[in-house]
Amino acid sequence: MAAQQGPRDATALDAADWLDVHFAACQPEYEALLRAVGIQSGWRVLDAGCGGGSHLPLLAQLVGPTGQIAALDLAPDNVATVQSRLAEQALPCPIAPRQGTLTALPYPDAAFDAVWCANVAQHLDDRALATALAEFRRVVRPGGLVAVKDVDMSLWRLAPADPLLIAALSRASLQLSGSDAERETRGSLRGRTLRGWLERAGLEAVWQRTTLIERWQPLRPIERRLWADWLAHLAALAEARGLESAELAAWRAVADADAPEHPLNRPDCYLCEGQVLAVGRVPRA
Ligand SMILES: C[S@@+](CC[C@H](N)C(=O)[O-])C[C@H]1O[C@@H](n2cnc3c(N)ncnc32)[C@H](O)[C@@H]1O
C-alpha cells in the first residue's frame, strides 16, 4: 500500500480535504449527533465554523426547502470550497456562505432559530469560547437552540499501542506555556466540560451526550486513511514537543502505517475517538 501523506501542522487539520476524510470516516456518528439536536423544518440555521461544508447536506435536509442556512468560516479557502461545492451540488434550501469569525458574528440579533458549531471550540482559548457562546446566544432568537459538538481527546485510543500515547503528547504540549500547541491541546481536552460552558453562557435546559466512535478490523479504507494520516501528524508533533525518549519511541512506532507490525495492520487493532454534543436553549425573556 502507498504511504499516506499526513497533514503537517495544525492548520492542515482545518483544510477541507482532511475534514472530508474525517467526516466520511465518522459519518454515521456525526450525522446521528446532528439529528439529535432538534433542528426543525423551516428553521434558519447558522453553521458556525463550517469548514468545507461537510454538515451542510444534512442540515439542508433537516430544515428543508422552507429553511435557510448561513455558513460562516474564518478561513477564506474553506468559504471558497463551500461556494464551489454549492455550485456543483444543489441542496434543498438556500445557503449563504461568508467569511467571518465566531467571536464577532456578522449577523443581527435573533437572526437564527439555531446555531450548529462542530469541531471549532477546540481551536478557541477560554476567552474566545466564552465570547463565541455569547455571540451564539445573541444571534439565536429566544427559545432557539445553540448546539456545540467537539472532540475530547482524553477519549482517544489506539490499540495495540502504549495506552498513554496521547496522554504523553498532551502533557508535553500543555507544558509549552502560551503557545498554539498549549491552546490547541487545552481545547482538545475540554469537550466533556461543554455542558458547563453553555450553562455559564446563560443557556437553559442544557444537555450533553458523549459518543465513542469505535472501529475494529476490518477497517474501511477511509477509516484506515484517517488514522494513518492522523498518526503521522501526531507523531510529527511528538517529535517537535520534547517528549521523553520512551514516549517518543512509542510515537515513532506508529508514525508509518506501512510498517508491517503497525497497529493498523494487526487483526486486533482498535481505534476510538470521543465526540461530545452539548445543546442549550436561549431564554425566552
Ligand atoms: C476542525 S474544522 C471543523 C469544520 C466543520 N465544522 C466540520 O465539522 O467539518 C474547524 C473550522 O473552524 C474554523 N475556525 C477556527 N476558528 C474560527 C473562528 N474564530 N471563527 C470562525 N471559524 C473558525 C476553521 O477555519 C475550520 O474551518
PDB file of all heavy atoms in Angstrom, residues 13-14 19 47-52 54-55 72-75 78 100-103 118-120 122-124, ligand 1:
ATOM      1  N   LEU A  13      -5.028  20.508   9.605  1.00  0.00           N
ATOM      2  CA  LEU A  13      -6.187  19.758  10.098  1.00  0.00           C
ATOM      3  C   LEU A  13      -7.486  20.528   9.885  1.00  0.00           C
ATOM      4  O   LEU A  13      -8.560  19.978  10.070  1.00  0.00           O
ATOM      5  CB  LEU A  13      -6.019  19.431  11.588  1.00  0.00           C
ATOM      6  CG  LEU A  13      -4.925  18.414  11.919  1.00  0.00           C
ATOM      7  CD1 LEU A  13      -4.886  18.163  13.415  1.00  0.00           C
ATOM      8  CD2 LEU A  13      -5.119  17.105  11.184  1.00  0.00           C
ATOM      9  N   ASP A  14      -7.409  21.797   9.478  1.00  0.00           N
ATOM     10  CA  ASP A  14      -8.596  22.576   9.145  1.00  0.00           C
ATOM     11  C   ASP A  14      -8.842  22.625   7.642  1.00  0.00           C
ATOM     12  O   ASP A  14      -9.813  23.229   7.195  1.00  0.00           O
ATOM     13  CB  ASP A  14      -8.448  24.021   9.647  1.00  0.00           C
ATOM     14  CG  ASP A  14      -8.577  24.107  11.158  1.00  0.00           C
ATOM     15  OD1 ASP A  14      -9.015  23.111  11.758  1.00  0.00           O
ATOM     16  OD2 ASP A  14      -8.233  25.152  11.713  1.00  0.00           O
ATOM     17  N   LEU A  19     -10.756  17.512   6.434  1.00  0.00           N
ATOM     18  CA  LEU A  19     -12.076  17.487   7.075  1.00  0.00           C
ATOM     19  C   LEU A  19     -12.997  16.504   6.368  1.00  0.00           C
ATOM     20  O   LEU A  19     -13.800  15.811   7.007  1.00  0.00           O
ATOM     21  CB  LEU A  19     -12.698  18.893   7.073  1.00  0.00           C
ATOM     22  CG  LEU A  19     -11.941  19.947   7.902  1.00  0.00           C
ATOM     23  CD1 LEU A  19     -12.546  21.331   7.690  1.00  0.00           C
ATOM     24  CD2 LEU A  19     -11.938  19.570   9.375  1.00  0.00           C
ATOM     25  N   ASP A  47     -24.349  27.505  10.431  1.00  0.00           N
ATOM     26  CA  ASP A  47     -23.271  26.524  10.588  1.00  0.00           C
ATOM     27  C   ASP A  47     -22.009  27.334  10.894  1.00  0.00           C
ATOM     28  O   ASP A  47     -21.391  27.905   9.987  1.00  0.00           O
ATOM     29  CB  ASP A  47     -23.129  25.690   9.302  1.00  0.00           C
ATOM     30  CG  ASP A  47     -22.107  24.567   9.441  1.00  0.00           C
ATOM     31  OD1 ASP A  47     -21.427  24.485  10.487  1.00  0.00           O
ATOM     32  OD2 ASP A  47     -21.987  23.763   8.489  1.00  0.00           O
ATOM     33  N   ALA A  48     -21.669  27.418  12.178  1.00  0.00           N
ATOM     34  CA  ALA A  48     -20.614  28.319  12.649  1.00  0.00           C
ATOM     35  C   ALA A  48     -19.267  27.602  12.632  1.00  0.00           C
ATOM     36  O   ALA A  48     -19.047  26.679  13.411  1.00  0.00           O
ATOM     37  CB  ALA A  48     -20.946  28.783  14.072  1.00  0.00           C
ATOM     38  N   GLY A  49     -18.368  28.026  11.723  1.00  0.00           N
ATOM     39  CA  GLY A  49     -17.105  27.319  11.520  1.00  0.00           C
ATOM     40  C   GLY A  49     -17.369  26.117  10.636  1.00  0.00           C
ATOM     41  O   GLY A  49     -17.091  24.971  10.999  1.00  0.00           O
ATOM     42  N   CYS A  50     -17.889  26.382   9.438  1.00  0.00           N
ATOM     43  CA  CYS A  50     -18.438  25.320   8.574  1.00  0.00           C
ATOM     44  C   CYS A  50     -17.367  24.484   7.892  1.00  0.00           C
ATOM     45  O   CYS A  50     -17.675  23.429   7.334  1.00  0.00           O
ATOM     46  CB  CYS A  50     -19.366  25.924   7.519  1.00  0.00           C
ATOM     47  SG  CYS A  50     -18.519  27.118   6.446  1.00  0.00           S
ATOM     48  N   GLY A  51     -16.090  24.937   7.900  1.00  0.00           N
ATOM     49  CA  GLY A  51     -15.049  24.189   7.204  1.00  0.00           C
ATOM     50  C   GLY A  51     -15.378  24.069   5.728  1.00  0.00           C
ATOM     51  O   GLY A  51     -15.808  25.030   5.087  1.00  0.00           O
ATOM     52  N   GLY A  52     -15.230  22.863   5.185  1.00  0.00           N
ATOM     53  CA  GLY A  52     -15.547  22.629   3.773  1.00  0.00           C
ATOM     54  C   GLY A  52     -17.019  22.338   3.535  1.00  0.00           C
ATOM     55  O   GLY A  52     -17.419  22.050   2.406  1.00  0.00           O
ATOM     56  N   SER A  54     -19.044  19.974   5.281  1.00  0.00           N
ATOM     57  CA  SER A  54     -19.430  18.557   5.403  1.00  0.00           C
ATOM     58  C   SER A  54     -20.833  18.364   5.970  1.00  0.00           C
ATOM     59  O   SER A  54     -21.535  17.416   5.598  1.00  0.00           O
ATOM     60  CB  SER A  54     -18.447  17.817   6.312  1.00  0.00           C
ATOM     61  OG  SER A  54     -17.155  17.866   5.799  1.00  0.00           O
ATOM     62  N   HIS A  55     -21.242  19.253   6.890  1.00  0.00           N
ATOM     63  CA  HIS A  55     -22.542  19.073   7.534  1.00  0.00           C
ATOM     64  C   HIS A  55     -23.680  19.726   6.756  1.00  0.00           C
ATOM     65  O   HIS A  55     -24.848  19.563   7.139  1.00  0.00           O
ATOM     66  CB  HIS A  55     -22.519  19.633   8.968  1.00  0.00           C
ATOM     67  CG  HIS A  55     -21.620  18.861   9.889  1.00  0.00           C
ATOM     68  ND1 HIS A  55     -20.345  19.267  10.205  1.00  0.00           N
ATOM     69  CD2 HIS A  55     -21.812  17.692  10.536  1.00  0.00           C
ATOM     70  CE1 HIS A  55     -19.784  18.377  11.017  1.00  0.00           C
ATOM     71  NE2 HIS A  55     -20.661  17.415  11.231  1.00  0.00           N
ATOM     72  N   LEU A  72     -20.577  30.031   7.932  1.00  0.00           N
ATOM     73  CA  LEU A  72     -19.518  31.011   8.209  1.00  0.00           C
ATOM     74  C   LEU A  72     -18.232  30.307   8.589  1.00  0.00           C
ATOM     75  O   LEU A  72     -18.265  29.330   9.337  1.00  0.00           O
ATOM     76  CB  LEU A  72     -19.966  31.924   9.362  1.00  0.00           C
ATOM     77  CG  LEU A  72     -18.919  32.954   9.785  1.00  0.00           C
ATOM     78  CD1 LEU A  72     -19.452  34.363   9.538  1.00  0.00           C
ATOM     79  CD2 LEU A  72     -18.564  32.778  11.256  1.00  0.00           C
ATOM     80  N   ASP A  73     -17.105  30.804   8.070  1.00  0.00           N
ATOM     81  CA  ASP A  73     -15.804  30.254   8.475  1.00  0.00           C
ATOM     82  C   ASP A  73     -14.751  31.352   8.425  1.00  0.00           C
ATOM     83  O   ASP A  73     -14.836  32.278   7.619  1.00  0.00           O
ATOM     84  CB  ASP A  73     -15.390  29.082   7.582  1.00  0.00           C
ATOM     85  CG  ASP A  73     -14.354  28.197   8.261  1.00  0.00           C
ATOM     86  OD1 ASP A  73     -13.147  28.519   8.194  1.00  0.00           O
ATOM     87  OD2 ASP A  73     -14.759  27.183   8.883  1.00  0.00           O
ATOM     88  N   LEU A  74     -13.760  31.200   9.288  1.00  0.00           N
ATOM     89  CA  LEU A  74     -12.658  32.168   9.356  1.00  0.00           C
ATOM     90  C   LEU A  74     -11.745  32.049   8.138  1.00  0.00           C
ATOM     91  O   LEU A  74     -11.162  33.036   7.699  1.00  0.00           O
ATOM     92  CB  LEU A  74     -11.847  31.888  10.632  1.00  0.00           C
ATOM     93  CG  LEU A  74     -10.760  32.861  11.030  1.00  0.00           C
ATOM     94  CD1 LEU A  74     -11.348  34.249  11.302  1.00  0.00           C
ATOM     95  CD2 LEU A  74     -10.038  32.346  12.278  1.00  0.00           C
ATOM     96  N   ALA A  75     -11.605  30.834   7.589  1.00  0.00           N
ATOM     97  CA  ALA A  75     -10.630  30.594   6.526  1.00  0.00           C
ATOM     98  C   ALA A  75     -11.246  30.870   5.154  1.00  0.00           C
ATOM     99  O   ALA A  75     -12.176  30.162   4.742  1.00  0.00           O
ATOM    100  CB  ALA A  75     -10.136  29.151   6.597  1.00  0.00           C
ATOM    101  N   ASN A  78     -11.705  27.818   2.938  1.00  0.00           N
ATOM    102  CA  ASN A  78     -12.839  26.933   3.229  1.00  0.00           C
ATOM    103  C   ASN A  78     -14.147  27.534   2.720  1.00  0.00           C
ATOM    104  O   ASN A  78     -15.006  26.807   2.212  1.00  0.00           O
ATOM    105  CB  ASN A  78     -12.906  26.639   4.727  1.00  0.00           C
ATOM    106  CG  ASN A  78     -11.823  25.666   5.171  1.00  0.00           C
ATOM    107  OD1 ASN A  78     -11.193  25.024   4.343  1.00  0.00           O
ATOM    108  ND2 ASN A  78     -11.609  25.562   6.470  1.00  0.00           N
ATOM    109  N   GLY A 100     -15.879  35.073   8.195  1.00  0.00           N
ATOM    110  CA  GLY A 100     -16.059  35.860   9.411  1.00  0.00           C
ATOM    111  C   GLY A 100     -15.625  35.044  10.610  1.00  0.00           C
ATOM    112  O   GLY A 100     -15.252  33.871  10.483  1.00  0.00           O
ATOM    113  N   THR A 101     -15.684  35.675  11.779  1.00  0.00           N
ATOM    114  CA  THR A 101     -15.239  34.994  12.997  1.00  0.00           C
ATOM    115  C   THR A 101     -16.389  34.783  13.983  1.00  0.00           C
ATOM    116  O   THR A 101     -17.285  35.624  14.106  1.00  0.00           O
ATOM    117  CB  THR A 101     -14.099  35.759  13.698  1.00  0.00           C
ATOM    118  OG1 THR A 101     -13.756  35.055  14.912  1.00  0.00           O
ATOM    119  CG2 THR A 101     -14.485  37.189  14.048  1.00  0.00           C
ATOM    120  N   LEU A 102     -16.323  33.682  14.690  1.00  0.00           N
ATOM    121  CA  LEU A 102     -17.327  33.350  15.714  1.00  0.00           C
ATOM    122  C   LEU A 102     -17.358  34.380  16.831  1.00  0.00           C
ATOM    123  O   LEU A 102     -18.371  34.507  17.524  1.00  0.00           O
ATOM    124  CB  LEU A 102     -16.985  31.990  16.344  1.00  0.00           C
ATOM    125  CG  LEU A 102     -17.557  30.720  15.746  1.00  0.00           C
ATOM    126  CD1 LEU A 102     -17.297  30.620  14.264  1.00  0.00           C
ATOM    127  CD2 LEU A 102     -17.021  29.510  16.475  1.00  0.00           C
ATOM    128  N   THR A 103     -16.250  35.077  17.034  1.00  0.00           N
ATOM    129  CA  THR A 103     -16.180  35.992  18.176  1.00  0.00           C
ATOM    130  C   THR A 103     -16.759  37.372  17.858  1.00  0.00           C
ATOM    131  O   THR A 103     -16.820  38.227  18.756  1.00  0.00           O
ATOM    132  CB  THR A 103     -14.723  36.129  18.672  1.00  0.00           C
ATOM    133  OG1 THR A 103     -13.900  36.472  17.553  1.00  0.00           O
ATOM    134  CG2 THR A 103     -14.248  34.826  19.284  1.00  0.00           C
ATOM    135  N   ALA A 118     -19.571  22.742  14.949  1.00  0.00           N
ATOM    136  CA  ALA A 118     -18.948  21.418  15.049  1.00  0.00           C
ATOM    137  C   ALA A 118     -17.439  21.510  14.927  1.00  0.00           C
ATOM    138  O   ALA A 118     -16.912  22.023  13.925  1.00  0.00           O
ATOM    139  CB  ALA A 118     -19.501  20.501  13.953  1.00  0.00           C
ATOM    140  N   ASN A 119     -16.740  21.023  15.924  1.00  0.00           N
ATOM    141  CA  ASN A 119     -15.282  20.857  15.874  1.00  0.00           C
ATOM    142  C   ASN A 119     -14.532  22.175  15.737  1.00  0.00           C
ATOM    143  O   ASN A 119     -13.476  22.224  15.102  1.00  0.00           O
ATOM    144  CB  ASN A 119     -14.883  19.907  14.728  1.00  0.00           C
ATOM    145  CG  ASN A 119     -15.605  18.588  14.815  1.00  0.00           C
ATOM    146  OD1 ASN A 119     -15.820  18.075  15.903  1.00  0.00           O
ATOM    147  ND2 ASN A 119     -16.016  18.056  13.682  1.00  0.00           N
ATOM    148  N   VAL A 120     -15.077  23.226  16.281  1.00  0.00           N
ATOM    149  CA  VAL A 120     -14.430  24.534  16.233  1.00  0.00           C
ATOM    150  C   VAL A 120     -13.998  24.979  17.631  1.00  0.00           C
ATOM    151  O   VAL A 120     -12.934  25.571  17.790  1.00  0.00           O
ATOM    152  CB  VAL A 120     -15.367  25.609  15.625  1.00  0.00           C
ATOM    153  CG1 VAL A 120     -14.592  26.902  15.395  1.00  0.00           C
ATOM    154  CG2 VAL A 120     -15.966  25.125  14.304  1.00  0.00           C
ATOM    155  N   GLN A 122     -12.619  23.550  19.927  1.00  0.00           N
ATOM    156  CA  GLN A 122     -11.291  23.047  20.300  1.00  0.00           C
ATOM    157  C   GLN A 122     -10.184  24.012  19.889  1.00  0.00           C
ATOM    158  O   GLN A 122      -9.093  23.983  20.461  1.00  0.00           O
ATOM    159  CB  GLN A 122     -11.065  21.674  19.657  1.00  0.00           C
ATOM    160  CG  GLN A 122     -11.051  21.723  18.144  1.00  0.00           C
ATOM    161  CD  GLN A 122     -11.114  20.341  17.485  1.00  0.00           C
ATOM    162  OE1 GLN A 122     -10.111  19.722  17.234  1.00  0.00           O
ATOM    163  NE2 GLN A 122     -12.316  19.869  17.208  1.00  0.00           N
ATOM    164  N   HIS A 123     -10.460  24.865  18.884  1.00  0.00           N
ATOM    165  CA  HIS A 123      -9.427  25.794  18.401  1.00  0.00           C
ATOM    166  C   HIS A 123      -9.415  27.113  19.165  1.00  0.00           C
ATOM    167  O   HIS A 123      -8.547  27.943  18.926  1.00  0.00           O
ATOM    168  CB  HIS A 123      -9.649  26.086  16.909  1.00  0.00           C
ATOM    169  CG  HIS A 123      -9.553  24.866  16.051  1.00  0.00           C
ATOM    170  ND1 HIS A 123      -8.382  24.169  15.875  1.00  0.00           N
ATOM    171  CD2 HIS A 123     -10.495  24.202  15.335  1.00  0.00           C
ATOM    172  CE1 HIS A 123      -8.601  23.135  15.091  1.00  0.00           C
ATOM    173  NE2 HIS A 123      -9.878  23.131  14.749  1.00  0.00           N
ATOM    174  N   LEU A 124     -10.385  27.329  20.055  1.00  0.00           N
ATOM    175  CA  LEU A 124     -10.527  28.609  20.736  1.00  0.00           C
ATOM    176  C   LEU A 124      -9.973  28.526  22.149  1.00  0.00           C
ATOM    177  O   LEU A 124     -10.149  27.501  22.831  1.00  0.00           O
ATOM    178  CB  LEU A 124     -12.005  28.999  20.810  1.00  0.00           C
ATOM    179  CG  LEU A 124     -12.774  29.014  19.472  1.00  0.00           C
ATOM    180  CD1 LEU A 124     -14.231  29.390  19.717  1.00  0.00           C
ATOM    181  CD2 LEU A 124     -12.123  29.966  18.475  1.00  0.00           C
TER     182      LEU A 124
HETATM  183  C1  LIG B   1     -11.878  21.225  12.511  1.00  0.00           C
HETATM  184  S1  LIG B   1     -12.635  22.376  11.427  1.00  0.00           S
HETATM  185  C2  LIG B   1     -14.357  21.930  11.509  1.00  0.00           C
HETATM  186  C3  LIG B   1     -15.135  22.320  10.281  1.00  0.00           C
HETATM  187  C4  LIG B   1     -16.582  21.779  10.217  1.00  0.00           C
HETATM  188  N1  LIG B   1     -17.413  22.374  11.239  1.00  0.00           N
HETATM  189  C5  LIG B   1     -16.607  20.280  10.331  1.00  0.00           C
HETATM  190  O1  LIG B   1     -17.016  19.761  11.381  1.00  0.00           O
HETATM  191  O2  LIG B   1     -16.185  19.600   9.373  1.00  0.00           O
HETATM  192  C6  LIG B   1     -12.559  23.882  12.287  1.00  0.00           C
HETATM  193  C7  LIG B   1     -13.019  25.061  11.447  1.00  0.00           C
HETATM  194  O3  LIG B   1     -13.181  26.187  12.290  1.00  0.00           O
HETATM  195  C8  LIG B   1     -12.717  27.324  11.591  1.00  0.00           C
HETATM  196  N2  LIG B   1     -12.424  28.348  12.610  1.00  0.00           N
HETATM  197  C9  LIG B   1     -11.433  28.339  13.517  1.00  0.00           C
HETATM  198  N3  LIG B   1     -11.515  29.433  14.298  1.00  0.00           N
HETATM  199  C10 LIG B   1     -12.600  30.133  13.864  1.00  0.00           C
HETATM  200  C11 LIG B   1     -13.193  31.365  14.247  1.00  0.00           C
HETATM  201  N4  LIG B   1     -12.696  32.092  15.239  1.00  0.00           N
HETATM  202  N5  LIG B   1     -14.288  31.789  13.580  1.00  0.00           N
HETATM  203  C12 LIG B   1     -14.796  31.055  12.552  1.00  0.00           C
HETATM  204  N6  LIG B   1     -14.269  29.876  12.143  1.00  0.00           N
HETATM  205  C13 LIG B   1     -13.174  29.433  12.788  1.00  0.00           C
HETATM  206  C14 LIG B   1     -11.527  26.830  10.801  1.00  0.00           C
HETATM  207  O4  LIG B   1     -11.228  27.667   9.719  1.00  0.00           O
HETATM  208  C15 LIG B   1     -12.041  25.461  10.347  1.00  0.00           C
HETATM  209  O5  LIG B   1     -12.712  25.516   9.120  1.00  0.00           O
END
